[in-house]
Amino acid sequence: MLAALTSPNNTTQALDLRARSYLHANCSMCHQPGGPGRGPEDFRFTTPAASMGAIGVEPTQTNFGVEGAKLIYPGRPDLSIVSIRTHMLETGRMPPLGRTVVDEAGVALLD
């Protein structure tokens, strides 16, 4: 049986489960082994956090000029490339297609 994702709005669920569900639904279609996403990330919900290749990991594409940035820098969204990219609307935004606005609730959850 597959694990069920939780709604990002379901505050009865743990914050990490809600954030991981969001990453799975919005990022894992590209960011997983064999996927078209660049970099080491594996954002599938069933991947243990320690094996995601993102927490405390240096960016492999760009740091957007942010000194000391990590893909995910716990407690520091200002130094987290995942957060920076989800806040962007220009080239480099994530997800890269199909959006013209920032998902404010989603990025707040990740932050």
Side-chain angles (χ1 to χ4, degrees):
M1 175 174 244
L2 294 175
L5 302 180
T6 189
S7 168
N9 305 321
N10 184 353
T11 57
T12 65
Q13 295 294 313
L15 179 60
D16 65 322
L17 292 178
R18 294 184 291 136
R20 294 290 307 278
S21 292
Y22 185 89
L23 287 171
H24 179 89
N26 291 281
C27 309
S28 73
M29 69 283 298
C30 292
H31 294 287
Q32 63 173 286
R38 298 182 200 153
E41 309 89 353
D42 182 357
F43 288 137
R44 294 174 297 170
F45 185 74
T46 55
T47 301
S51 300
M52 285 174 32
I55 300 172
V57 174
E58 305 240 348
T60 58
Q61 301 304 306
T62 182
N63 68 0
F64 293 99
V66 178
E67 198 66 36
K70 305 292 184 203
L71 292 174
I72 296 176
Y73 196 126
R76 293 293 306 268
D78 59 315
L79 296 177
S80 297
I81 295 301
V82 169
S83 175
I84 291 166
R85 286 185 156 209
T86 57
H87 281 274
M88 294 172 65
L89 289 176
E90 60 275 2
T91 300
R93 71 183 178 267
M94 287 292 148
L97 301 173
R99 76 173 175 94
T100 57
V101 297
V102 172
D103 177 357
E104 295 294 342
V107 296
L109 172 66
L110 294 178
D111 288 351

PDB file of all heavy atoms in Angstrom, residues 32-70:
ATOM      1  N   GLN A  32      13.540  13.109  -8.891  1.00  0.00           N
ATOM      2  CA  GLN A  32      13.637  11.742  -8.387  1.00  0.00           C
ATOM      3  C   GLN A  32      14.651  11.013  -9.262  1.00  0.00           C
ATOM      4  O   GLN A  32      14.961  11.490 -10.360  1.00  0.00           O
ATOM      5  CB  GLN A  32      12.286  11.037  -8.426  1.00  0.00           C
ATOM      6  CG  GLN A  32      11.706  10.870  -9.815  1.00  0.00           C
ATOM      7  CD  GLN A  32      10.469  10.021  -9.783  1.00  0.00           C
ATOM      8  OE1 GLN A  32      10.559   8.811  -9.612  1.00  0.00           O
ATOM      9  NE2 GLN A  32       9.317  10.656  -9.935  1.00  0.00           N
ATOM     10  N   PRO A  33      15.190   9.902  -8.790  1.00  0.00           N
ATOM     11  CA  PRO A  33      16.159   9.178  -9.608  1.00  0.00           C
ATOM     12  C   PRO A  33      15.590   8.861 -10.996  1.00  0.00           C
ATOM     13  O   PRO A  33      14.465   8.383 -11.125  1.00  0.00           O
ATOM     14  CB  PRO A  33      16.412   7.890  -8.812  1.00  0.00           C
ATOM     15  CG  PRO A  33      16.139   8.281  -7.398  1.00  0.00           C
ATOM     16  CD  PRO A  33      14.985   9.252  -7.489  1.00  0.00           C
ATOM     17  N   GLY A  34      16.349   9.202 -12.024  1.00  0.00           N
ATOM     18  CA  GLY A  34      15.924   8.958 -13.396  1.00  0.00           C
ATOM     19  C   GLY A  34      15.006  10.021 -13.956  1.00  0.00           C
ATOM     20  O   GLY A  34      14.639   9.972 -15.125  1.00  0.00           O
ATOM     21  N   GLY A  35      14.612  10.987 -13.119  1.00  0.00           N
ATOM     22  CA  GLY A  35      13.723  12.048 -13.579  1.00  0.00           C
ATOM     23  C   GLY A  35      14.481  13.126 -14.328  1.00  0.00           C
ATOM     24  O   GLY A  35      15.709  13.185 -14.289  1.00  0.00           O
ATOM     25  N   PRO A  36      13.753  14.013 -14.999  1.00  0.00           N
ATOM     26  CA  PRO A  36      14.410  15.043 -15.800  1.00  0.00           C
ATOM     27  C   PRO A  36      14.974  16.215 -14.994  1.00  0.00           C
ATOM     28  O   PRO A  36      15.687  17.045 -15.537  1.00  0.00           O
ATOM     29  CB  PRO A  36      13.293  15.515 -16.738  1.00  0.00           C
ATOM     30  CG  PRO A  36      12.043  15.273 -15.961  1.00  0.00           C
ATOM     31  CD  PRO A  36      12.309  14.009 -15.177  1.00  0.00           C
ATOM     32  N   GLY A  37      14.658  16.303 -13.701  1.00  0.00           N
ATOM     33  CA  GLY A  37      15.176  17.395 -12.884  1.00  0.00           C
ATOM     34  C   GLY A  37      16.675  17.296 -12.705  1.00  0.00           C
ATOM     35  O   GLY A  37      17.219  16.205 -12.544  1.00  0.00           O
ATOM     36  N   ARG A  38      17.338  18.428 -12.759  1.00  0.00           N
ATOM     37  CA  ARG A  38      18.782  18.460 -12.548  1.00  0.00           C
ATOM     38  C   ARG A  38      19.061  18.504 -11.061  1.00  0.00           C
ATOM     39  O   ARG A  38      18.291  19.046 -10.291  1.00  0.00           O
ATOM     40  CB  ARG A  38      19.381  19.684 -13.222  1.00  0.00           C
ATOM     41  CG  ARG A  38      19.185  19.680 -14.711  1.00  0.00           C
ATOM     42  CD  ARG A  38      19.838  20.900 -15.320  1.00  0.00           C
ATOM     43  NE  ARG A  38      19.270  21.152 -16.626  1.00  0.00           N
ATOM     44  CZ  ARG A  38      19.215  22.347 -17.173  1.00  0.00           C
ATOM     45  NH1 ARG A  38      19.683  23.386 -16.537  1.00  0.00           N
ATOM     46  NH2 ARG A  38      18.703  22.496 -18.352  1.00  0.00           N
ATOM     47  N   GLY A  39      20.183  17.956 -10.663  1.00  0.00           N
ATOM     48  CA  GLY A  39      20.570  17.994  -9.258  1.00  0.00           C
ATOM     49  C   GLY A  39      20.285  16.678  -8.556  1.00  0.00           C
ATOM     50  O   GLY A  39      19.697  15.760  -9.128  1.00  0.00           O
ATOM     51  N   PRO A  40      20.685  16.608  -7.302  1.00  0.00           N
ATOM     52  CA  PRO A  40      20.618  15.349  -6.555  1.00  0.00           C
ATOM     53  C   PRO A  40      19.286  15.085  -5.839  1.00  0.00           C
ATOM     54  O   PRO A  40      19.106  14.031  -5.245  1.00  0.00           O
ATOM     55  CB  PRO A  40      21.730  15.528  -5.515  1.00  0.00           C
ATOM     56  CG  PRO A  40      21.704  17.005  -5.233  1.00  0.00           C
ATOM     57  CD  PRO A  40      21.405  17.646  -6.577  1.00  0.00           C
ATOM     58  N   GLU A  41      18.356  16.010  -5.893  1.00  0.00           N
ATOM     59  CA  GLU A  41      17.143  15.899  -5.088  1.00  0.00           C
ATOM     60  C   GLU A  41      16.263  14.711  -5.458  1.00  0.00           C
ATOM     61  O   GLU A  41      16.117  14.383  -6.617  1.00  0.00           O
ATOM     62  CB  GLU A  41      16.272  17.166  -5.214  1.00  0.00           C
ATOM     63  CG  GLU A  41      16.968  18.441  -4.977  1.00  0.00           C
ATOM     64  CD  GLU A  41      17.594  19.024  -6.242  1.00  0.00           C
ATOM     65  OE1 GLU A  41      17.603  18.388  -7.303  1.00  0.00           O
ATOM     66  OE2 GLU A  41      18.086  20.149  -6.143  1.00  0.00           O
ATOM     67  N   ASP A  42      15.672  14.134  -4.432  1.00  0.00           N
ATOM     68  CA  ASP A  42      14.657  13.091  -4.591  1.00  0.00           C
ATOM     69  C   ASP A  42      13.514  13.477  -3.670  1.00  0.00           C
ATOM     70  O   ASP A  42      13.554  13.237  -2.471  1.00  0.00           O
ATOM     71  CB  ASP A  42      15.209  11.713  -4.220  1.00  0.00           C
ATOM     72  CG  ASP A  42      14.185  10.594  -4.409  1.00  0.00           C
ATOM     73  OD1 ASP A  42      13.025  10.886  -4.774  1.00  0.00           O
ATOM     74  OD2 ASP A  42      14.550   9.436  -4.179  1.00  0.00           O
ATOM     75  N   PHE A  43      12.511  14.139  -4.224  1.00  0.00           N
ATOM     76  CA  PHE A  43      11.424  14.687  -3.424  1.00  0.00           C
ATOM     77  C   PHE A  43      10.205  13.770  -3.330  1.00  0.00           C
ATOM     78  O   PHE A  43       9.115  14.224  -2.971  1.00  0.00           O
ATOM     79  CB  PHE A  43      11.020  16.063  -3.945  1.00  0.00           C
ATOM     80  CG  PHE A  43      12.033  17.139  -3.654  1.00  0.00           C
ATOM     81  CD1 PHE A  43      12.365  18.068  -4.617  1.00  0.00           C
ATOM     82  CD2 PHE A  43      12.651  17.223  -2.424  1.00  0.00           C
ATOM     83  CE1 PHE A  43      13.291  19.067  -4.354  1.00  0.00           C
ATOM     84  CE2 PHE A  43      13.581  18.216  -2.143  1.00  0.00           C
ATOM     85  CZ  PHE A  43      13.902  19.145  -3.112  1.00  0.00           C
ATOM     86  N   ARG A  44      10.390  12.480  -3.598  1.00  0.00           N
ATOM     87  CA  ARG A  44       9.269  11.564  -3.415  1.00  0.00           C
ATOM     88  C   ARG A  44       8.949  11.456  -1.928  1.00  0.00           C
ATOM     89  O   ARG A  44       9.839  11.425  -1.080  1.00  0.00           O
ATOM     90  CB  ARG A  44       9.589  10.192  -4.004  1.00  0.00           C
ATOM     91  CG  ARG A  44       9.743  10.217  -5.524  1.00  0.00           C
ATOM     92  CD  ARG A  44      10.202   8.909  -6.065  1.00  0.00           C
ATOM     93  NE  ARG A  44      11.548   8.620  -5.532  1.00  0.00           N
ATOM     94  CZ  ARG A  44      12.155   7.452  -5.660  1.00  0.00           C
ATOM     95  NH1 ARG A  44      11.567   6.462  -6.301  1.00  0.00           N
ATOM     96  NH2 ARG A  44      13.361   7.276  -5.161  1.00  0.00           N
ATOM     97  N   PHE A  45       7.682  11.366  -1.609  1.00  0.00           N
ATOM     98  CA  PHE A  45       7.198  11.321  -0.223  1.00  0.00           C
ATOM     99  C   PHE A  45       7.787  10.154   0.552  1.00  0.00           C
ATOM    100  O   PHE A  45       8.054  10.271   1.749  1.00  0.00           O
ATOM    101  CB  PHE A  45       5.665  11.248  -0.221  1.00  0.00           C
ATOM    102  CG  PHE A  45       5.045  11.323   1.141  1.00  0.00           C
ATOM    103  CD1 PHE A  45       4.999  12.513   1.825  1.00  0.00           C
ATOM    104  CD2 PHE A  45       4.492  10.192   1.733  1.00  0.00           C
ATOM    105  CE1 PHE A  45       4.419  12.595   3.090  1.00  0.00           C
ATOM    106  CE2 PHE A  45       3.909  10.260   2.983  1.00  0.00           C
ATOM    107  CZ  PHE A  45       3.871  11.466   3.663  1.00  0.00           C
ATOM    108  N   THR A  46       8.014   9.049  -0.119  1.00  0.00           N
ATOM    109  CA  THR A  46       8.498   7.845   0.570  1.00  0.00           C
ATOM    110  C   THR A  46      10.013   7.826   0.773  1.00  0.00           C
ATOM    111  O   THR A  46      10.530   6.931   1.443  1.00  0.00           O
ATOM    112  CB  THR A  46       8.082   6.585  -0.207  1.00  0.00           C
ATOM    113  OG1 THR A  46       8.551   6.702  -1.561  1.00  0.00           O
ATOM    114  CG2 THR A  46       6.564   6.410  -0.193  1.00  0.00           C
ATOM    115  N   THR A  47      10.722   8.798   0.223  1.00  0.00           N
ATOM    116  CA  THR A  47      12.163   8.878   0.415  1.00  0.00           C
ATOM    117  C   THR A  47      12.447   9.474   1.790  1.00  0.00           C
ATOM    118  O   THR A  47      11.959  10.559   2.100  1.00  0.00           O
ATOM    119  CB  THR A  47      12.810   9.765  -0.674  1.00  0.00           C
ATOM    120  OG1 THR A  47      12.503   9.201  -1.943  1.00  0.00           O
ATOM    121  CG2 THR A  47      14.307   9.858  -0.496  1.00  0.00           C
ATOM    122  N   PRO A  48      13.223   8.797   2.630  1.00  0.00           N
ATOM    123  CA  PRO A  48      13.544   9.366   3.948  1.00  0.00           C
ATOM    124  C   PRO A  48      14.237  10.725   3.791  1.00  0.00           C
ATOM    125  O   PRO A  48      15.026  10.930   2.852  1.00  0.00           O
ATOM    126  CB  PRO A  48      14.499   8.341   4.560  1.00  0.00           C
ATOM    127  CG  PRO A  48      14.229   7.066   3.825  1.00  0.00           C
ATOM    128  CD  PRO A  48      13.828   7.477   2.432  1.00  0.00           C
ATOM    129  N   ALA A  49      13.953  11.639   4.686  1.00  0.00           N
ATOM    130  CA  ALA A  49      14.508  12.995   4.607  1.00  0.00           C
ATOM    131  C   ALA A  49      16.030  12.970   4.472  1.00  0.00           C
ATOM    132  O   ALA A  49      16.608  13.736   3.697  1.00  0.00           O
ATOM    133  CB  ALA A  49      14.081  13.816   5.818  1.00  0.00           C
ATOM    134  N   ALA A  50      16.687  12.088   5.194  1.00  0.00           N
ATOM    135  CA  ALA A  50      18.147  12.007   5.159  1.00  0.00           C
ATOM    136  C   ALA A  50      18.665  11.531   3.798  1.00  0.00           C
ATOM    137  O   ALA A  50      19.834  11.720   3.484  1.00  0.00           O
ATOM    138  CB  ALA A  50      18.648  11.081   6.258  1.00  0.00           C
ATOM    139  N   SER A  51      17.802  10.938   2.985  1.00  0.00           N
ATOM    140  CA  SER A  51      18.201  10.419   1.674  1.00  0.00           C
ATOM    141  C   SER A  51      17.714  11.283   0.512  1.00  0.00           C
ATOM    142  O   SER A  51      17.898  10.920  -0.649  1.00  0.00           O
ATOM    143  CB  SER A  51      17.661   8.995   1.498  1.00  0.00           C
ATOM    144  OG  SER A  51      18.158   8.145   2.501  1.00  0.00           O
ATOM    145  N   MET A  52      17.089  12.418   0.817  1.00  0.00           N
ATOM    146  CA  MET A  52      16.535  13.284  -0.224  1.00  0.00           C
ATOM    147  C   MET A  52      17.599  13.974  -1.069  1.00  0.00           C
ATOM    148  O   MET A  52      17.312  14.447  -2.163  1.00  0.00           O
ATOM    149  CB  MET A  52      15.642  14.370   0.392  1.00  0.00           C
ATOM    150  CG  MET A  52      14.314  13.878   0.847  1.00  0.00           C
ATOM    151  SD  MET A  52      13.304  15.112   1.728  1.00  0.00           S
ATOM    152  CE  MET A  52      13.728  16.656   1.014  1.00  0.00           C
ATOM    153  N   GLY A  53      18.820  14.057  -0.575  1.00  0.00           N
ATOM    154  CA  GLY A  53      19.874  14.742  -1.313  1.00  0.00           C
ATOM    155  C   GLY A  53      19.650  16.229  -1.401  1.00  0.00           C
ATOM    156  O   GLY A  53      20.070  16.865  -2.378  1.00  0.00           O
ATOM    157  N   ALA A  54      18.985  16.810  -0.408  1.00  0.00           N
ATOM    158  CA  ALA A  54      18.664  18.233  -0.467  1.00  0.00           C
ATOM    159  C   ALA A  54      18.975  18.972   0.832  1.00  0.00           C
ATOM    160  O   ALA A  54      19.334  20.143   0.796  1.00  0.00           O
ATOM    161  CB  ALA A  54      17.186  18.413  -0.808  1.00  0.00           C
ATOM    162  N   ILE A  55      18.831  18.336   1.960  1.00  0.00           N
ATOM    163  CA  ILE A  55      19.003  19.022   3.242  1.00  0.00           C
ATOM    164  C   ILE A  55      20.490  19.207   3.530  1.00  0.00           C
ATOM    165  O   ILE A  55      21.236  18.244   3.644  1.00  0.00           O
ATOM    166  CB  ILE A  55      18.301  18.261   4.375  1.00  0.00           C
ATOM    167  CG1 ILE A  55      16.801  18.166   4.078  1.00  0.00           C
ATOM    168  CG2 ILE A  55      18.555  18.944   5.723  1.00  0.00           C
ATOM    169  CD1 ILE A  55      16.026  17.280   5.013  1.00  0.00           C
ATOM    170  N   GLY A  56      20.902  20.468   3.588  1.00  0.00           N
ATOM    171  CA  GLY A  56      22.297  20.796   3.837  1.00  0.00           C
ATOM    172  C   GLY A  56      23.212  20.558   2.657  1.00  0.00           C
ATOM    173  O   GLY A  56      24.436  20.598   2.798  1.00  0.00           O
ATOM    174  N   VAL A  57      22.641  20.342   1.475  1.00  0.00           N
ATOM    175  CA  VAL A  57      23.413  20.026   0.267  1.00  0.00           C
ATOM    176  C   VAL A  57      23.618  21.301  -0.559  1.00  0.00           C
ATOM    177  O   VAL A  57      22.688  22.075  -0.767  1.00  0.00           O
ATOM    178  CB  VAL A  57      22.682  18.948  -0.572  1.00  0.00           C
ATOM    179  CG1 VAL A  57      23.382  18.707  -1.899  1.00  0.00           C
ATOM    180  CG2 VAL A  57      22.560  17.660   0.228  1.00  0.00           C
ATOM    181  N   GLU A  58      24.843  21.495  -1.030  1.00  0.00           N
ATOM    182  CA  GLU A  58      25.165  22.652  -1.876  1.00  0.00           C
ATOM    183  C   GLU A  58      24.427  22.547  -3.210  1.00  0.00           C
ATOM    184  O   GLU A  58      24.298  21.454  -3.767  1.00  0.00           O
ATOM    185  CB  GLU A  58      26.670  22.703  -2.131  1.00  0.00           C
ATOM    186  CG  GLU A  58      27.480  22.710  -0.864  1.00  0.00           C
ATOM    187  CD  GLU A  58      28.334  23.941  -0.724  1.00  0.00           C
ATOM    188  OE1 GLU A  58      28.474  24.691  -1.704  1.00  0.00           O
ATOM    189  OE2 GLU A  58      28.830  24.132   0.381  1.00  0.00           O
ATOM    190  N   PRO A  59      23.954  23.663  -3.737  1.00  0.00           N
ATOM    191  CA  PRO A  59      23.295  23.632  -5.047  1.00  0.00           C
ATOM    192  C   PRO A  59      24.276  23.264  -6.148  1.00  0.00           C
ATOM    193  O   PRO A  59      25.440  23.671  -6.106  1.00  0.00           O
ATOM    194  CB  PRO A  59      22.771  25.059  -5.220  1.00  0.00           C
ATOM    195  CG  PRO A  59      23.496  25.892  -4.231  1.00  0.00           C
ATOM    196  CD  PRO A  59      23.986  24.992  -3.147  1.00  0.00           C
ATOM    197  N   THR A  60      23.802  22.497  -7.112  1.00  0.00           N
ATOM    198  CA  THR A  60      24.650  22.077  -8.229  1.00  0.00           C
ATOM    199  C   THR A  60      24.417  22.933  -9.466  1.00  0.00           C
ATOM    200  O   THR A  60      25.213  22.882 -10.399  1.00  0.00           O
ATOM    201  CB  THR A  60      24.399  20.602  -8.593  1.00  0.00           C
ATOM    202  OG1 THR A  60      23.014  20.443  -8.927  1.00  0.00           O
ATOM    203  CG2 THR A  60      24.764  19.679  -7.449  1.00  0.00           C
ATOM    204  N   GLN A  61      23.340  23.690  -9.522  1.00  0.00           N
ATOM    205  CA  GLN A  61      23.033  24.496 -10.703  1.00  0.00           C
ATOM    206  C   GLN A  61      23.454  25.949 -10.501  1.00  0.00           C
ATOM    207  O   GLN A  61      24.255  26.466 -11.242  1.00  0.00           O
ATOM    208  CB  GLN A  61      21.539  24.414 -11.035  1.00  0.00           C
ATOM    209  CG  GLN A  61      21.058  23.003 -11.299  1.00  0.00           C
ATOM    210  CD  GLN A  61      21.840  22.321 -12.395  1.00  0.00           C
ATOM    211  OE1 GLN A  61      21.961  22.853 -13.491  1.00  0.00           O
ATOM    212  NE2 GLN A  61      22.401  21.166 -12.108  1.00  0.00           N
ATOM    213  N   THR A  62      22.898  26.615  -9.526  1.00  0.00           N
ATOM    214  CA  THR A  62      23.210  28.007  -9.229  1.00  0.00           C
ATOM    215  C   THR A  62      22.827  28.282  -7.787  1.00  0.00           C
ATOM    216  O   THR A  62      21.935  27.623  -7.238  1.00  0.00           O
ATOM    217  CB  THR A  62      22.478  28.994 -10.168  1.00  0.00           C
ATOM    218  OG1 THR A  62      22.862  30.333  -9.838  1.00  0.00           O
ATOM    219  CG2 THR A  62      20.971  28.875 -10.055  1.00  0.00           C
ATOM    220  N   ASN A  63      23.484  29.262  -7.197  1.00  0.00           N
ATOM    221  CA  ASN A  63      23.089  29.683  -5.851  1.00  0.00           C
ATOM    222  C   ASN A  63      22.375  31.026  -5.896  1.00  0.00           C
ATOM    223  O   ASN A  63      22.097  31.615  -4.870  1.00  0.00           O
ATOM    224  CB  ASN A  63      24.297  29.727  -4.906  1.00  0.00           C
ATOM    225  CG  ASN A  63      25.284  30.820  -5.241  1.00  0.00           C
ATOM    226  OD1 ASN A  63      25.104  31.580  -6.199  1.00  0.00           O
ATOM    227  ND2 ASN A  63      26.342  30.903  -4.466  1.00  0.00           N
ATOM    228  N   PHE A  64      22.106  31.522  -7.104  1.00  0.00           N
ATOM    229  CA  PHE A  64      21.414  32.798  -7.315  1.00  0.00           C
ATOM    230  C   PHE A  64      22.099  33.937  -6.561  1.00  0.00           C
ATOM    231  O   PHE A  64      21.457  34.884  -6.125  1.00  0.00           O
ATOM    232  CB  PHE A  64      19.933  32.706  -6.924  1.00  0.00           C
ATOM    233  CG  PHE A  64      19.153  31.795  -7.819  1.00  0.00           C
ATOM    234  CD1 PHE A  64      18.880  30.491  -7.442  1.00  0.00           C
ATOM    235  CD2 PHE A  64      18.712  32.234  -9.057  1.00  0.00           C
ATOM    236  CE1 PHE A  64      18.173  29.639  -8.277  1.00  0.00           C
ATOM    237  CE2 PHE A  64      18.000  31.387  -9.897  1.00  0.00           C
ATOM    238  CZ  PHE A  64      17.738  30.099  -9.506  1.00  0.00           C
ATOM    239  N   GLY A  65      23.411  33.835  -6.388  1.00  0.00           N
ATOM    240  CA  GLY A  65      24.169  34.880  -5.717  1.00  0.00           C
ATOM    241  C   GLY A  65      24.054  34.879  -4.207  1.00  0.00           C
ATOM    242  O   GLY A  65      24.463  35.825  -3.551  1.00  0.00           O
ATOM    243  N   VAL A  66      23.489  33.797  -3.645  1.00  0.00           N
ATOM    244  CA  VAL A  66      23.300  33.704  -2.198  1.00  0.00           C
ATOM    245  C   VAL A  66      24.470  32.931  -1.599  1.00  0.00           C
ATOM    246  O   VAL A  66      24.566  31.716  -1.758  1.00  0.00           O
ATOM    247  CB  VAL A  66      21.959  33.028  -1.854  1.00  0.00           C
ATOM    248  CG1 VAL A  66      21.788  32.885  -0.352  1.00  0.00           C
ATOM    249  CG2 VAL A  66      20.799  33.801  -2.467  1.00  0.00           C
ATOM    250  N   GLU A  67      25.359  33.642  -0.946  1.00  0.00           N
ATOM    251  CA  GLU A  67      26.534  33.024  -0.329  1.00  0.00           C
ATOM    252  C   GLU A  67      26.098  32.085   0.795  1.00  0.00           C
ATOM    253  O   GLU A  67      25.268  32.448   1.628  1.00  0.00           O
ATOM    254  CB  GLU A  67      27.450  34.114   0.232  1.00  0.00           C
ATOM    255  CG  GLU A  67      28.844  33.649   0.499  1.00  0.00           C
ATOM    256  CD  GLU A  67      29.605  33.256  -0.764  1.00  0.00           C
ATOM    257  OE1 GLU A  67      29.422  33.897  -1.811  1.00  0.00           O
ATOM    258  OE2 GLU A  67      30.384  32.292  -0.687  1.00  0.00           O
ATOM    259  N   GLY A  68      26.633  30.875   0.804  1.00  0.00           N
ATOM    260  CA  GLY A  68      26.317  29.899   1.848  1.00  0.00           C
ATOM    261  C   GLY A  68      25.011  29.158   1.641  1.00  0.00           C
ATOM    262  O   GLY A  68      24.549  28.447   2.530  1.00  0.00           O
ATOM    263  N   ALA A  69      24.396  29.301   0.454  1.00  0.00           N
ATOM    264  CA  ALA A  69      23.106  28.665   0.188  1.00  0.00           C
ATOM    265  C   ALA A  69      23.239  27.144   0.168  1.00  0.00           C
ATOM    266  O   ALA A  69      24.276  26.592  -0.180  1.00  0.00           O
ATOM    267  CB  ALA A  69      22.547  29.148  -1.147  1.00  0.00           C
ATOM    268  N   LYS A  70      22.171  26.487   0.552  1.00  0.00           N
ATOM    269  CA  LYS A  70      22.012  25.033   0.450  1.00  0.00           C
ATOM    270  C   LYS A  70      20.703  24.798  -0.292  1.00  0.00           C
ATOM    271  O   LYS A  70      19.847  25.683  -0.376  1.00  0.00           O
ATOM    272  CB  LYS A  70      21.936  24.376   1.837  1.00  0.00           C
ATOM    273  CG  LYS A  70      23.108  24.697   2.742  1.00  0.00           C
ATOM    274  CD  LYS A  70      24.381  24.075   2.252  1.00  0.00           C
ATOM    275  CE  LYS A  70      25.509  24.344   3.230  1.00  0.00           C
ATOM    276  NZ  LYS A  70      26.810  24.269   2.639  1.00  0.00           N
TER     277      LYS A  70
END
